[in-house]
Amino acid sequence: MAVLCKPAIAVPEHIITQDDTLELARRLHKDHSQLKLVLRLIEHTGVLKRHLIQPIDKVLKHPGLDARSAVYEQESKARVPAVVRQALDRAELEARQIDLIVYVSCTGFMMPSLTAWLINTLGFRSETRQIPIAQLGCAAGGAAINRAHDFCTAYPDSNVLIVACEFCSLCYQPSDLGVGSLLSNGLFGDAIAAAVVRGRGGTGVRLERNGSYLIPHTEDWISYAVRSTGFHFLLDKRVPGTMEPLAPALRAVADQQRWNAGELDFYLVHAGGPRILDDLSRFLEVPPEAFRFSRATLTEYGNIASAVVLDALGRMFEEASPREGHRGLLAGFGPGITAEMALGTWTAAA
């Protein structure tokens, strides 16, 4: 069975605190008619600090899509390799033993994908398969795990490398003044994560089952408007309430495994905001403490898009709380509105 091993996480060196964000909002948008609402929403995110690939003064400027694309390529090539090497080390594998790379990112675009550069640069075999995922947003972390699981099910002796590279700060648009846009300016952070799914052996989460669910007719609730200035993030005010229709989908996947989604040992879910976690606690009937790993990611890094699930997994590894046979749920939520869900059992290499 495929095992999701200990991930590697890296956040950039530039830090912005919640107090910094609130002060910037007051200064930049002092005449905004809904400033008080925006400030209150940012305060309630629970995000105490975020990490950025550039100093905040550079983030606030918009040099154009060409310049931002150049920064994305430069920074990803500078920062991803170390994270990949650490993930390989933690899985006790070498680059030549990887059969597929799943690369997810919704904050920058390259063609060919960064996977081609990684294969040429870090010693992967030329036969290594590539799956770049660019349009699932925050759900892509869960999707990457699920596609890796599918591949290892089809090819049991294979190993898959997952890479999530999210530079959300490159999507800041100074002209977007809607409440949803201003809230997102205080919510998203930058991060890179990587993990290996081993077809055989390894310590971590043995993947048992996966599934997807899309809430009908919600395509415009989370989206990008792609314009000459780049990606303009659109967030509908109904998004925080999506856990009510998604909780039954999580229960249904668990039921297929003959598990009770409310009686699992660990939960690693995308933390888009505090209400997501609060509602999941309520609808799945589990204590709030069950989502401590996801909440810690949100508090310390903000919403780091597709990297959230892997960061939450890394925090569980660090806590060393799971025991052999412990059962858990992993899930990413994103545009569509889409949920990518996985069930797994903790296992330690013999």
Side-chain angles (χ1 to χ4, degrees):
M1 299 289 288
V3 172
L4 176 59
C5 300
K6 185 177 182 179
I9 314 293
V11 290
E13 61 276 16
H14 304 288
I15 296 174
I16 182 170
T17 67
Q18 185 183 81
D19 288 342
D20 296 333
T21 301
L22 292 169
E23 181 55 34
L24 281 170
R26 293 188 188 99
R27 176 166 59 85
L28 296 175
H29 308 293
K30 59 180 182 296
D31 297 324
H32 197 287
S33 61
Q34 294 182 287
L35 179 60
K36 288 184 179 179
L37 171 62
V38 170
L39 295 176
R40 186 167 69 251
L41 290 173
I42 292 174
E43 287 176 337
H44 289 167
T45 61
V47 178
L48 296 186
K49 68 177 177 69
R50 294 170 292 148
H51 293 251
L52 311 173
I53 58 170
Q54 300 179 110
I56 188 60
D57 59 330
K58 285 192 175 182
V59 172
L60 294 176
K61 297 175 182 177
H62 196 326
L65 180 57
D66 290 357
R68 282 187 168 177
S69 296
V71 171
Y72 178 87
E73 180 173 354
Q74 176 184 342
E75 294 293 334
S76 59
K77 289 181 176 179
R79 297 174 187 270
V80 168
V83 182
V84 167
R85 292 188 183 101
Q86 188 176 36
L88 291 170
D89 287 344
R90 290 177 170 180
E92 299 182 323
L93 293 177
E94 298 178 2
R96 60 183 176 78
Q97 295 174 280
I98 296 296
D99 301 283
L100 166 68
I101 300 174
V102 184
Y103 178 83
V104 296
S105 179
C106 63
T107 52
F109 180 80
M110 293 172 58
M111 192 170 72
S113 164
L114 192 74
T115 50
W117 182 84
L118 290 172
I119 290 170
N120 287 325
T121 305
L122 299 186
F124 296 96
R125 303 187 328 272
S126 294
E127 295 82 9
T128 306
R129 294 171 172 89
Q130 307 168 60
I131 300 181
I133 302 176
Q135 293 161 294
L136 280 176
C138 299
I145 293 169
N146 291 348
R147 300 298 75 79
H149 180 201
D150 293 344
F151 189 84
C152 289
T153 300
Y155 305 98
D157 292 321
S158 296
N159 302 302
V160 180
L161 171 69
I162 296 168
V163 182
C165 177
E166 301 289 13
F167 300 149
C168 300
S169 62
L170 292 179
C171 299
Y172 170 72
Q173 296 290 347
S175 62
D176 290 353
L177 301 178
V179 171
S181 296
L182 295 181
L183 171 60
S184 70
N185 293 342
L187 181 62
F188 287 94
D190 299 345
I192 299 166
V196 171
V197 175
R198 289 185 53 146
R200 299 195 186 280
T203 293
V205 179
R206 185 177 67 235
L207 300 170
E208 310 281 1
R209 178 182 294 273
N210 68 64
S212 301
Y213 183 80
L214 184 144
I215 304 175
H217 310 300
T218 56
E219 302 102 304
D220 58 348
W221 288 22
I222 302 175
S223 63
Y224 273 162
V226 183
R227 301 173 184 153
S228 59
T229 48
F231 303 140
H232 291 253
F233 183 66
L234 302 176
L235 181 68
D236 191 279
K237 63 182 180 181
R238 292 170 288 184
V239 169
T242 50
M243 289 306 103
E244 185 170 5
L246 285 181
L250 297 174
R251 287 190 177 278
V253 170
D255 288 345
Q256 293 170 11
Q257 192 68 14
R258 298 187 178 180
W259 293 2
N260 184 331
E263 297 179 356
L264 301 179
D265 300 297
F266 59 87
Y267 298 82
L268 307 168
V269 303
H270 174 73
R275 183 175 168 184
I276 298 294
L277 302 177
D278 293 341
D279 281 1
L280 273 180
S281 175
R282 179 157 57 100
F283 293 125
L284 293 182
E285 300 179 65
V286 297
E289 176 69 8
F291 300 103
R292 63 189 179 279
F293 306 115
S294 299
R295 202 174 296 275
T297 298
L298 184 65
T299 299
E300 297 177 24
Y301 295 161
N303 184 338
I304 50 174
S306 64
V308 168
V309 171
L310 294 177
D311 184 71
L313 173 64
R315 292 173 188 273
M316 186 175 75
F317 265 94
E318 293 298 326
E319 187 183 88
S321 55
R323 297 292 179 264
E324 188 74 29
H326 275 193
R327 300 178 302 177
L329 168 72
L330 302 88
F333 312 115
I337 300 288
T338 301
E340 286 281 343
M341 305 161 286
L343 300 176
T345 303
W346 185 263
T347 185

